Amino acid sequence: MIIKDYMDTVGLRSTEASHELQSLSTDDKNKLLLSIADSIRSKNNEIIKANNEDIVLAKKSGLSEAMINRLMLDEIRIENIAKSVEEIVRLPDPTGQTLFETKRPNGLEINRVSVPLGIIGIIYESRPNVTVDASALCIKAGNVVILRGGKESFNSNIKLTEAIQSAFTSHNLNKNIVQFIETTDRAAVDYMLSEMSETIDVIVPRGGKSLVKKVQKISNVNVIGHLEGNCHVYVDKDADLNMAKKVVLNSKMRRTSICGAAETLLIHDKCLRSHSLPIIRELILKGCEVLVDKKINKYFNNKLK
């Protein structure tokens, strides 16, 4: 594969597909997203088979158990991926919204209206669900997307992309609205960042610190990036205890290996006695190691550190 020729072709296809996607109404996009969810469910077995191939290769390469857990797909996770697409359908269309309007003294009316960005390149690591999440969000906002996933989930990503593209075909739409870079050669990423500024409108790196820093350093395309974070959950003094308990447990224990898992729990002073004990006890019961400050530790008779 000649990387330059391949990537230039990907860019040309995205440009052609962009005009088609931006002509779709909100209803058209929502119907398309529902078809994508159905397609993912219908290709459940194919996706799991491809994912098993990735897991075998990941274990041979010595990938950590936490990373393998992030990589793994089963029927439940695939169903959750499909449901996440349906949740995006219920979101309001972000395009065509009047964000600002004013009338000048001379009678000139000025409006600022939200429009699609155009073509978005997304570079991410091992989690294959990002292939679907990113695609669905881009479609909802009227953006064509070029996906470049990690080598660990290569086979899974190809099957997920095929499921997405089959939905386009069933709606007589250009399947290149979503494209996946079908090579693990890092030269494809370098070319995408340094040579495709005339095609790609923005790059979104989603992954670890080293990935984001590399993208920000060498990209000639505008980048929406992040570095390190610390995921907080805040329990307010007026929070319903049962709801707070469910939110905290879900945010931490649903999947502890993902980057969005809670790392810090903040509880308002006025509900420390009523809320901290039952919430923290439940976390410990579920197998979570909890470090608390001196104020909370007193409620546990100084048995927590």
Side-chain angles (χ1 to χ4, degrees):
M1 178 186 291
I2 300 174
I3 294 298
K4 178 184 183 303
D5 293 345
Y6 174 68
M7 294 303 296
D8 285 345
T9 300
V10 168
L12 179 61
R13 289 172 177 169
S14 289
T15 301
E16 293 171 347
S18 182
H19 302 303
E20 191 168 330
L21 177 60
Q22 291 183 21
S23 68
L24 298 183
S25 67
T26 300
D27 189 51
D28 291 334
K29 290 186 290 186
N30 287 339
K31 287 178 180 178
L32 176 59
L33 289 170
L34 291 174
S35 292
I36 289 173
D38 290 340
S39 180
I40 290 168
R41 290 187 176 102
S42 70
K43 297 183 183 298
N44 176 75
N45 292 334
E46 296 175 38
I47 295 168
I48 290 176
K49 182 179 178 181
N51 184 251
N52 287 336
E53 294 173 10
D54 286 330
I55 289 174
V56 169
L57 293 172
K59 289 180 177 178
K60 286 182 179 179
S61 67
L63 200 68
S64 69
E65 285 299 320
M67 292 298 288
I68 290 174
N69 180 266
R70 294 175 70 177
L71 169 63
M72 188 270 289
L73 293 176
D74 55 19
E75 290 188 5
I76 294 174
R77 289 187 179 180
I78 291 173
E79 175 60 23
N80 287 336
I81 288 173
K83 286 181 177 178
S84 72
V85 177
E86 292 169 341
E87 289 174 3
I88 292 170
V89 170
R90 292 191 285 271
L91 294 175
D93 192 330
T95 64
Q97 303 296 317
T98 300
L99 306 176
F100 170 81
E101 56 185 340
T102 187
K103 189 172 183 178
R104 303 298 297 163
N106 63 359
L108 178 65
E109 294 182 359
I110 301 174
N111 295 331
R112 183 188 300 143
V113 179
S114 59
V115 297
L117 291 171
I119 299 173
I120 299 179
I122 300 182
I123 302 170
Y124 53 104
E125 295 176 321
S126 62
R127 289 175 60 195
N129 64 292
V130 177
T131 298
V132 180
D133 291 344
S135 298
L137 288 168
C138 284
I139 292 166
K140 183 76 176 191
N143 296 299
V144 166
V145 62
I146 300 172
L147 302 165
R148 207 305 187 161
K151 65 179 181 180
E152 300 87 358
S153 54
F154 185 74
N155 296 301
S156 306
N157 288 333
I158 286 178
K159 283 299 175 185
L160 287 166
T161 304
E162 288 176 359
I164 294 168
Q165 290 181 330
S166 69
F168 293 130
T169 304
S170 68
H171 284 260
N172 296 314
L173 292 171
N174 191 328
K175 70 176 185 178
N176 296 315
I177 289 171
V178 173
Q179 291 187 85
F180 179 77
I181 304 301
E182 296 186 3
T183 176
T184 58
D185 192 332
R186 292 185 178 180
V189 175
D190 293 340
Y191 190 87
M192 189 176 179
L193 296 174
S194 61
E195 303 295 336
M196 296 184 71
S197 59
E198 295 299 315
T199 302
I200 299 174
D201 295 284
V202 64
I203 292 284
V204 180
R206 177 168 171 173
K209 181 179 179 180
S210 60
L211 169 68
V212 178
K213 289 191 72 172
K214 175 187 175 180
V215 170
Q216 291 178 325
K217 182 177 180 180
I218 71 172
S219 180
N220 290 324
V221 185
N222 294 319
V223 176
I224 298 176
H226 66 90
L227 284 177
E228 296 171 286
N230 188 348
C231 299
H232 288 62
V233 176
Y234 168 63
V235 179
D236 190 57
K237 59 183 175 60
D238 298 319
D240 176 81
L241 175 58
N242 288 330
M243 180 189 72
K245 191 187 298 184
K246 289 178 182 178
V247 169
V248 173
L249 288 173
N250 179 271
S251 64
K252 180 61 181 177
M253 304 308 296
R254 181 176 64 87
R255 287 186 68 186
T256 57
S257 63
I258 63 174
C259 58
E263 296 158 304
T264 299
L265 175 62
L266 301 174
I267 302 175
H268 195 288
D269 267 347
K270 292 186 177 180
C271 67
L272 272 182
R273 183 179 296 276
S274 59
H275 286 48
S276 64
L277 272 70
I279 291 174
I280 292 171
R281 281 177 178 147
E282 193 71 23
L283 284 168
I284 295 171
L285 184 64
K286 297 294 184 182
C288 181
E289 180 180 347
V290 182
L291 302 178
V292 302
D293 64 11
K294 293 180 179 179
K295 188 177 290 187
I296 293 178
N297 205 20
K298 290 179 180 178
Y299 292 120
F300 288 89
N301 296 318
N302 298 315
K303 292 180 180 179
L304 282 176
K305 295 181 180 180

